[in-house]
Amino acid sequence: MSDRAIDKIMEDILAGKNRLIQRPEVLDPEYIPKNLPHREQKIADLTMIFRDALTMPGKFSIRAVVFGRTGTGKTVTTMTFGKKLEQKAMETRGMRIKYIHVNCHKHRTLFLILNYLIEKMMLPVSSRGLSSQEMFKIIHEYLEKRNMYLILALDEFDYFVNTASQDDVYFLARVYDELNFLEKRIHYVFIARDFSSLAGLDKSIRDHVLMNTVEFEPYTSAQLRDILKDRAEEAFVPGSVLDEAIDFIADVYGADKGGLGNARLAIETLAQAGIIAEKEGSLVVTREHAKLANARLNPYVAQIRDDIQALDLHQILLLKAIINLTKGGKEDFFSMGRVEEEYQRVCQIYNQQPRRHTQVFEYVKKLRHLGILNTRASGKGMRGRTTLISLALPASMELEAAVEDVLNARLSGKV
Ligand SMILES: Nc1ncnc2c1ncn2[C@@H]1O[C@H](COP(=O)(O)OP(=O)(O)O)[C@@H](O)[C@H]1O
Ligand SMILES: [Mg+2]
């Protein structure tokens, strides 16, 4: 390569010539987006729950539980709600509410949480040598003196429940019963991934935590499409992300298509697709880039792809049959009879002679062994016992595409 050519390449890159991502920070998981499509209702629910914090200040300590799977927008929505409530309280009533968001995974003990509060509120005290009770009192007195209220969001609270001492959990949940304050100035939002971890709390604690719950459902592919579109518009060169790329990612992760419903993974995939496109020197992000990004990031894809590559033709036909059944409706488990029926139909479509029952049963065992299928025995029904079969994985576009690819390769005799 000539010196001039090297110069040219470096200058182009440094001048940002093949940049597709203009604002990488927008694709960072910590970034707070301008819009929160499809979470309006959750903001409304939270506002209803905390309404009395504004209308009857000091009367109650309000508690809400926000729960849902990873990537469903719990953190970003609660933060957005909290910041807005601060503003509204000031604008409409001249009231001072402070929202503080604590990640319990980062601040792992009660002491560290209280210490963080003291820091955030810029209290002129050192927490050294203080007990939790004393720290809490200082915080409360400070609020009183300034006529302020606090909304404390405890994120990843299930982590705290699982690792902190029972006493500490008890303290956080019940503190107003222990300390006799006239006015209640601290409200809580407990954010958790898994509702059952909270439901499993000691009853005396549970009643104080589980008052108002707001569930965050996994996103559907149509919802993810809106979220991704917004994000692409903010982060990328205008028009450089093709709809086909966004559609692909939205379909892979959409809960209604068997995906995880996780906006975080969807956005990460979009970012990765952008990076791949840039490296290629492409002017746009295409479906192919999105596919490559997905193959890198999607936790399921790599392993399953390898496993499927190694299957026999009829094992793949059987897998296809079970995917068909799963996609067809709301059921999860299918009797051996139904599976075989569909398998025979698939064989017919692909012009193959179906294998006999005992052989098919061996295939089921093999696929179960690989973790692709689950099986269980049916109860003693009218017609005796049968094996029930279900897919161990989401019947995602990704799985379907992988099966289709291998099937075509097998049938054309390439592999
Ligand atoms: N409705 C939404 N609109 C825009 N971005 C969203 C939305 N929901 C989630 N996100 C983004 O997806 C990522 C994961 O959201 P997050 O709030 O961290 O989820 P959780 O706390 O439930 O795991 C973040 O980058 C967040 O900004
Ligand atoms: Mg979160």
Side-chain angles (χ1 to χ4, degrees):
M1 193 180 242
S2 74
D3 188 48
R4 268 190 73 86
I6 292 172
D7 272 357
K8 170 99 172 67
I9 283 179
M10 289 185 66
E11 279 160 18
D12 279 358
I13 291 174
L14 292 173
K17 274 213 173 148
N18 38 18
R19 265 273 149 97
L20 291 173
I21 303 174
Q22 281 179 317
R23 298 181 55 208
E25 72 277 9
V26 170
L27 298 169
D28 190 290
E30 305 303 312
Y31 176 75
I32 307 272
K34 280 198 225 119
N35 306 318
L36 286 179
H38 306 292
R39 285 303 180 232
E40 300 83 1
Q41 187 56 46
K42 306 303 165 194
I43 301 259
D45 290 351
L46 284 166
T47 309
M48 282 291 265
I49 292 170
F50 284 94
R51 187 167 52 179
D52 290 347
L54 272 70
T55 57
M56 291 185 245
K59 268 227 134 84
F60 317 101
S61 164
I62 301 173
R63 289 117 204 255
V65 174
V66 161
F67 72 100
R69 280 200 221 158
T70 304
T72 53
K74 300 184 298 296
T75 299
V76 73
T77 306
T78 310
M79 272 184 175
T80 303
F81 160 75
K83 288 287 151 207
K84 280 264 190 237
L85 196 72
E86 278 183 352
Q87 283 173 23
K88 294 285 166 232
M90 183 47 82
E91 279 168 25
T92 61
R93 293 167 192 263
M95 224 180 124
R96 290 210 284 178
I97 294 185
K98 186 150 180 71
Y99 172 85
I100 298 184
H101 192 101
V102 186
N103 185 320
C104 297
H105 194 67
K106 265 197 206 139
H107 307 277
R108 292 165 180 239
T109 63
L110 178 59
F111 177 82
L112 290 174
I113 291 173
L114 294 172
N115 199 40
Y116 179 74
L117 286 183
I118 285 176
E119 238 171 63
K120 271 273 160 180
M121 295 167 75
M122 296 190 281
L123 296 192
V125 293
S126 155
S127 51
R128 225 184 304 154
L130 296 179
S131 72
S132 299
Q133 292 246 346
E134 286 163 332
M135 285 163 85
F136 193 87
K137 267 204 168 123
I138 288 171
I139 292 167
H140 208 275
E141 276 160 14
Y142 178 85
L143 294 171
E144 225 154 52
K145 208 161 63 196
R146 303 244 164 157
N147 195 19
M148 279 172 68
Y149 297 85
L150 174 66
I151 295 182
L152 177 55
L154 295 165
D155 204 346
E156 320 245 1
F157 187 65
D158 31 10
Y159 184 81
F160 185 78
V161 167
N162 289 328
T163 57
S165 74
Q166 189 76 13
D167 282 354
D168 284 0
V169 179
Y170 191 84
F171 182 93
L172 264 187
R174 290 200 56 172
V175 75
Y176 276 114
D177 304 329
E178 313 272 301
L179 308 167
N180 266 327
F181 295 117
L182 279 178
E183 281 206 288
K184 316 284 191 206
R185 292 187 177 268
I186 304 184
H187 308 290
Y188 295 90
V189 186
F190 302 101
I191 305 174
R193 216 172 315 173
D194 186 7
F195 187 74
S196 62
S197 70
L198 302 182
L201 284 171
D202 190 81
K203 182 164 177 359
S204 64
I205 299 175
R206 199 173 58 214
D207 294 346
H208 291 259
V209 176
L210 299 186
M211 292 190 171
N212 307 287
T213 55
V214 183
E215 179 175 2
F216 281 52
E217 298 83 12
Y219 288 114
T220 64
S221 61
Q223 291 172 335
L224 287 174
R225 194 163 296 139
D226 293 337
I227 292 170
L228 288 167
K229 273 208 160 140
D230 268 11
R231 210 52 82 96
E233 232 162 72
E234 263 193 87
F236 283 79
V237 172
S240 65
V241 181
L242 299 184
D243 282 349
E244 60 175 38
I246 290 193
D247 289 348
F248 176 81
I249 300 170
D251 282 346
V252 164
Y253 282 104
D256 54 328
K257 308 250 162 121
L260 293 167
N262 183 330
R264 174 183 299 256
L265 284 173
I267 292 168
E268 273 176 24
T269 308
L270 174 66
Q272 185 71 39
I275 291 166
I276 293 170
E278 275 184 0
K279 278 210 186 115
E280 261 184 23
S282 170
L283 293 174
V284 286
V285 182
T286 65
R287 187 183 178 81
E288 272 317 301
H289 298 133
K291 268 195 186 174
L292 284 168
N294 184 51
R296 279 190 203 170
L297 291 178
N298 196 325
Y300 286 124
V301 177
Q303 181 60 46
I304 296 301
R305 237 179 210 288
D306 284 358
D307 290 344
I308 290 174
Q309 293 289 344
L311 296 177
D312 297 341
L313 174 60
H314 279 268
Q315 292 168 341
I316 299 166
L317 291 166
L318 176 66
L319 181 55
K320 175 140 185 69
I322 297 165
I323 292 172
N324 288 350
L325 289 173
T326 308
K327 279 179 31 182
K330 290 202 173 310
E331 285 164 280
D332 228 9
F333 276 89
F334 305 94
S335 69
M336 188 66 197
R338 268 187 80 192
V339 167
E340 264 185 286
E341 228 170 73
E342 180 64 20
Y343 159 74
Q344 282 158 9
R345 208 179 62 85
V346 170
C347 283
Q348 208 169 24
I349 293 171
Y350 288 95
N351 238 336
Q352 301 295 317
Q353 181 66 35
R355 299 290 193 254
R356 301 159 64 105
H357 174 78
T358 42
Q359 187 63 53
V360 176
F361 199 68
E362 288 305 311
Y363 296 154
V364 168
K365 280 202 252 173
K366 159 95 180 175
L367 293 175
R368 182 185 60 192
H369 184 71
L370 289 172
I372 297 173
L373 297 183
N374 288 325
T375 62
R376 68 174 195 224
S378 73
K380 283 197 191 108
M382 297 162 289
R383 287 197 241 156
R385 281 171 172 262
T386 171
T387 302
L388 297 178
I389 299 161
S390 85
L391 267 183
L393 318 154
S396 60
M397 302 269 295
E398 192 53 45
L399 178 63
E400 217 183 330
V403 166
E404 203 70 36
D405 284 355
V406 184
L407 199 52
N408 289 333
R410 284 298 143 80
L411 289 170
S412 64
K414 271 189 281 179
V415 191

